[in-house]
Amino acid sequence: MRKEDCFYLGKIVSKYSFKGEVLVKLDTDEPEIYENMESVFVSLGNNLVPFFIDRCRLHKSTLLRIDFEEVKDESAANKILGSELFLPLQMLPPLSGNTFYFHEVIGFRLMDEVHGDIGVIKAVNDSASQELFEVEKDEKELLIPINDDIITKVDRESKTIHVRTPEGLVELYL
């Protein structure tokens, strides 16, 4: 399995018991949907390695307590501590309306109410405090904030996102 075919689920942040159980900090708004997993991919070096799960359950709010079949003592747990967990993209729950996954909208066209076609989404920058669409138009890059006030409609059929950009933002780039 390749990382491109998967989504990031979370990271193993600590050991839970001397029997090899680990705690995973999940990167999700709905941790309860991952309580009954049978397996997960663990990033070890440059590889995604499948690990099978004996038991997993929520621990406090966004932590998942996992007992892996292959990890039954502290030294085995130490080897995977800090590793990232991934699941295949097809396991993501489908979204509708104006909600979307970042990977889903790469290649979508952005249509502004005033300026019309303002380009194609090449990437999503989520490393700063404000998430941004990285849009390309006529070999120029535009950075458009991802915000409920700006996005007016997501049209999956036509692969288009309709936006109402703040006055002056598009002119700044074009």
Side-chain angles (χ1 to χ4, degrees):
M1 184 67 66
R2 301 173 324 148
K3 275 190 183 176
E4 299 81 40
D5 301 325
C6 296
F7 68 95
Y8 173 77
L9 178 63
K11 185 175 186 175
I12 299 173
V13 292
S14 69
K15 296 178 287 186
Y16 182 77
S17 72
F18 63 90
K19 295 180 181 176
E21 287 180 297
V22 295
L23 292 177
V24 175
K25 173 83 169 114
L26 296 175
D27 182 32
T28 179
D29 295 332
E30 300 176 55
E32 61 279 354
I33 65 175
Y34 299 104
E35 274 189 288
N36 298 311
M37 296 185 299
E38 295 176 6
S39 64
V40 69
F41 289 100
V42 178
S43 180
L44 298 174
N46 292 328
N47 299 314
L48 289 182
V49 180
F51 274 64
F52 294 93
I53 298 172
D54 278 336
R55 185 171 176 209
C56 70
R57 56 211 169 276
L58 280 178
H59 180 80
K60 300 190 179 172
S61 57
T62 60
L63 293 175
L64 191 64
R65 183 174 152 191
I66 299 181
D67 180 12
F68 287 113
E69 284 181 10
E70 301 89 345
V71 180
K72 293 300 176 193
D73 57 39
E74 274 189 276
S75 69
N78 282 334
K79 291 177 184 168
I80 61 171
L81 200 59
S83 295
E84 295 177 333
L85 302 185
F86 293 86
L87 286 173
L89 285 173
Q90 58 265 25
M91 291 185 72
L92 278 172
L95 297 177
S96 61
N98 285 353
T99 58
F100 54 86
Y101 296 112
F102 291 161
H103 71 272
E104 174 186 17
V105 297
I106 304 301
F108 276 39
R109 192 158 288 289
L110 269 189
M111 298 297 288
D112 183 65
E113 283 184 352
V114 174
H115 303 282
D117 182 353
I118 57 172
V120 175
I121 300 170
K122 294 297 180 188
V124 173
N125 182 337
D126 63 349
S127 60
S129 59
Q130 171 68 59
E131 295 152 336
L132 302 166
F133 288 127
E134 294 180 7
V135 179
E136 189 174 290
K137 171 87 170 175
D138 300 328
E139 298 182 22
K140 292 183 181 171
E141 182 182 65
L142 291 80
L143 299 174
I144 307 296
I146 299 173
N147 182 307
D148 290 341
D149 296 333
I150 292 174
I151 298 170
T152 58
K153 180 181 175 190
V154 176
D155 186 344
R156 287 174 171 78
E157 270 187 42
S158 68
K159 294 193 171 220
T160 304
I161 297 179
H162 297 267
V163 294
R164 182 183 310 118
T165 56
E167 191 175 323
L169 180 65
V170 174
E171 291 88 353
L172 184 69
Y173 296 105
L174 304 176

